Amino acid sequence: EIVLTQSPATLSLSPGERATLSCRASQSVSSYLTWYQQKPGQAPRLLIYDASNRATGIPARFSGSGSGTDFTLTISSLEPEDFAVYYCQQRSNWPWTFGQGTKVEIK
Amino acid sequence: EVQLLESGGALVQPGGSLRLSCAASGFTFSSYAMTWVRQAPGKGLEWVSAINNGGGSTYYADSVKGRFTISRDNSKNTLYLQMNSLRAEDTAVYYCAKDAIAVAARFDYWGQGTLVTVSS
């Protein structure tokens, strides 16, 4: 199965700062990479699909890039509501797999 | 408004069985693929199983293959997960999620989750 490795495990930043999250696949997943946000006690929320497409209602400060094995989720200027855990997921090969998550916490 | 409501979570002994349900409303259920994702306490997300809109194609994580069965009843707008031979490592909150298009892992709506605890 394809292993997704997210880094860093935790990102400590202040509101207004730029967040850069990485997701690396153990083999190419083309552009079949999705990003989700999860806040404590809540279900995940779809952010980005097919590596770079924002889902409906997602603010423009969220952007995704990459293809093949290396992907990045960027939050251009952190808002208080953006502090959460972020997961990447691949749909290139069965079984679908998630990364272990990156926690973005308030510094 | 799209709503997904899971039910059926419970405390069950190792080796036991459980069936989870996910009642869907607010969209044409029969037009969309559905999936189950789980999250062990304090851990990350794990994709479990997916089913296409008609129910004819199913997919499973290696960790549950042969033990879990996903199904759907489009006449009842309900998704199911039959879980047999349960193990302690199956303990998790189980979420059902709607796929935005076909079987594409673009989960645009999620339920609130139901807790399955496997313990003696």
Side-chain angles (χ1 to χ4, degrees), chain A residues 28-39:
Chain A
S28 177
V29 298
S30 185
S31 294
Y32 300 132
L33 197 286
T34 308
W35 290 94
Y36 295 91
Q37 174 196 67
Q38 188 180 34
K39 297 179 182 179

Side-chain angles (χ1 to χ4, degrees), chain B residues 78-106:
Chain B
T78 302
L79 174 73
Y80 302 101
L81 186 68
Q82 177 67 44
M83 304 186 295
N84 299 330
S85 304
L86 283 161
R87 307 166 179 167
E89 54 265 35
D90 296 318
T91 294
V93 172
Y94 284 73
Y95 295 100
C96 67
K98 168 188 168 292
D99 214 320
I101 58 165
V103 182
R106 193 187 305 177

Side-chain angles (χ1 to χ4, degrees), chain A residues 12-89:
Chain A
S12 298
L13 296 168
S14 301
E17 289 193 295
R18 182 184 188 90
T20 303
L21 288 67
S22 174
C23 176
R24 177 164 290 178
S26 59
Q27 64 188 77
S28 177
V29 298
S30 185
S31 294
Y32 300 132
L33 197 286
T34 308
W35 290 94
Y36 295 91
Q37 174 196 67
Q38 188 180 34
K39 297 179 182 179
Q42 296 185 16
R45 174 193 183 194
L46 175 65
L47 293 178
I48 302 287
Y49 64 91
D50 292 348
S52 61
N53 298 284
R54 272 191 306 276
T56 302
I58 301 303
R61 65 181 181 272
F62 291 92
S63 63
S65 63
S67 65
T69 60
D70 290 295
F71 300 86
T72 300
L73 174 70
T74 302
I75 310 172
S76 59
S77 178
L78 283 164
E79 296 288 339
E81 61 267 28
D82 299 337
F83 292 92
V85 180
Y86 293 82
Y87 295 94
C88 57
Q89 186 209 5

Side-chain angles (χ1 to χ4, degrees), chain B residues 4-91:
Chain B
L4 298 170
L5 185 61
E6 302 96 336
S7 61
L11 171 63
V12 61
Q13 292 189 338
S17 297
L18 208 56
R19 188 177 82 157
L20 304 183
S21 299
C22 171
S25 61
F27 66 102
T28 306
F29 181 71
S30 59
S31 295
Y32 294 92
M34 298 292 294
T35 208
W36 288 98
V37 173
R38 69 184 180 183
Q39 187 168 35
K43 303 297 184 182
L45 302 174
E46 180 186 13
W47 173 77
V48 173
S49 183
I51 188 168
N52 72 340
N53 65 311
S57 296
T58 58
Y59 311 87
Y60 298 94
D62 292 343
S63 58
V64 306
K65 196 174 294 183
R67 300 188 299 123
F68 289 14
T69 302
I70 191 171
S71 62
R72 63 192 296 161
D73 186 335
N74 286 344
S75 69
K76 295 183 178 179
N77 291 346
T78 302
L79 174 73
Y80 302 101
L81 186 68
Q82 177 67 44
M83 304 186 295
N84 299 330
S85 304
L86 283 161
R87 307 166 179 167
E89 54 265 35
D90 296 318
T91 294

